[in-house]
Amino acid sequence: VMLAPLRLVKEMLVEVALPPLRLVKARPDEKRLVDVALVRIVPDRLVNPVITRFVEVILLPLTFVNEKFVDVLLINTVDVAKKLVVVTGAGMSAESGVSTFRDSNGLWENHDIMDVASPLGWQKNPELVLAFYNKRRAQLKEVEPNLGHQLLVELEPYLDVQIITQNVDNLHERAGSKNVLHLHGELTQIRGEHSPEESIYWTEDIALGDVNENGEQLRPDIVWFGEAVPKLTEATYIAAQADFMIIIGTSLQVYPAA
């Protein structure tokens, strides 16, 4: 049995297992009541194709039983929760063919992570770091958003969806998501090496010797190990406002996102 707000999924209702009840107080100190209903959703009998795909792809696999329906406990209050925060990680992009951040051997595309994703690695061999991210940036042109990205977009008419992603690709945006916060930076943004506040849209290679208006060597606008996470405060605020949260493709083992 899963929880869902009644008004947001009322068009999914096919077969009501119990009549709506007005039995539960939202909190002991509140007078308002909560409508409760147990509803059986049968995908084959749904009309809305977006809801059908959501039930088949997301809900049914979570039931852990070989059934063609899912029972949902619907709860409705006067001020129904509507803000959905989705936290995504490497597993989301991997479905599109994007190389994951860290393979099982602790390497990233056969490179030690600290050689290509740390200030020390940049100081030691900036040419290697630039070549590494040039390859990552070029790969974006070869991959497409997957069903997971698309389903999040299709939820936007029903919920206030905010995505916080640890990924540095632009697949959420290309799928059509309107509110995306990149916690660790973006491959399509670059900056001067001493200008963390700078952000320049960029889709081509960066070469050693390419500089910004202040004469600083250009580098990827990616948050490396040992660097501050400028958008962490904003992400924390967004997460605190969530009525619902979904975590996709990340074990949340990497700090400070964890």
Side-chain angles (χ1 to χ4, degrees), residues 148-174:
H149 297 104
Q150 295 162 4
L151 282 174
L152 292 179
V153 176
E154 293 171 356
L155 287 175
E156 290 190 2
Y158 306 94
L159 293 161
D160 176 11
V161 180
Q162 171 71 56
I163 296 171
I164 301 172
T165 185
Q166 297 173 276
N167 299 331
V168 296
D169 57 67
N170 58 1
L171 293 176
H172 281 299
E173 289 88 345
R174 286 166 56 189

Side-chain angles (χ1 to χ4, degrees), residues 112-131:
D112 186 291
I113 289 175
M114 300 308 290
D115 288 340
V116 294
S118 73
L120 180 60
W122 173 251
Q123 294 171 11
K124 288 171 51 180
N125 194 342
E127 199 164 15
L128 171 66
V129 176
L130 290 176

Side-chain angles (χ1 to χ4, degrees), residues 78-199:
V78 175
D79 52 346
V80 175
K82 292 184 64 176
K83 190 173 187 66
L84 170 65
V85 175
V86 184
V87 180
T88 66
M92 176 68 100
S93 296
E95 292 291 323
S96 293
V98 176
S99 299
T100 56
F101 178 76
R102 191 183 309 212
D103 293 324
S104 58
N105 60 1
L107 301 179
W108 191 7
E109 292 288 299
N110 297 317
H111 292 287
D112 186 291
I113 289 175
M114 300 308 290
D115 288 340
V116 294
S118 73
L120 180 60
W122 173 251
Q123 294 171 11
K124 288 171 51 180
N125 194 342
E127 199 164 15
L128 171 66
V129 176
L130 290 176
F132 178 83
Y133 287 98
N134 286 342
K135 185 177 179 181
R136 307 277 78 70
R137 198 177 302 107
Q139 187 186 33
L140 292 181
K141 301 174 183 178
E142 303 171 359
V143 298
E144 297 293 335
N146 59 59
L147 180 60
H149 297 104
Q150 295 162 4
L151 282 174
L152 292 179
V153 176
E154 293 171 356
L155 287 175
E156 290 190 2
Y158 306 94
L159 293 161
D160 176 11
V161 180
Q162 171 71 56
I163 296 171
I164 301 172
T165 185
Q166 297 173 276
N167 299 331
V168 296
D169 57 67
N170 58 1
L171 293 176
H172 281 299
E173 289 88 345
R174 286 166 56 189
S177 288
K178 296 181 177 63
N179 303 308
V180 183
L181 183 146
H182 287 267
L183 197 59
H184 296 152
E186 303 177 58
L187 284 170
T188 55
Q189 300 291 332
I190 63 173
R191 65 174 179 87
E193 60 180 336
H194 303 302
S195 300
E197 74 288 345
E198 185 176 44
S199 187

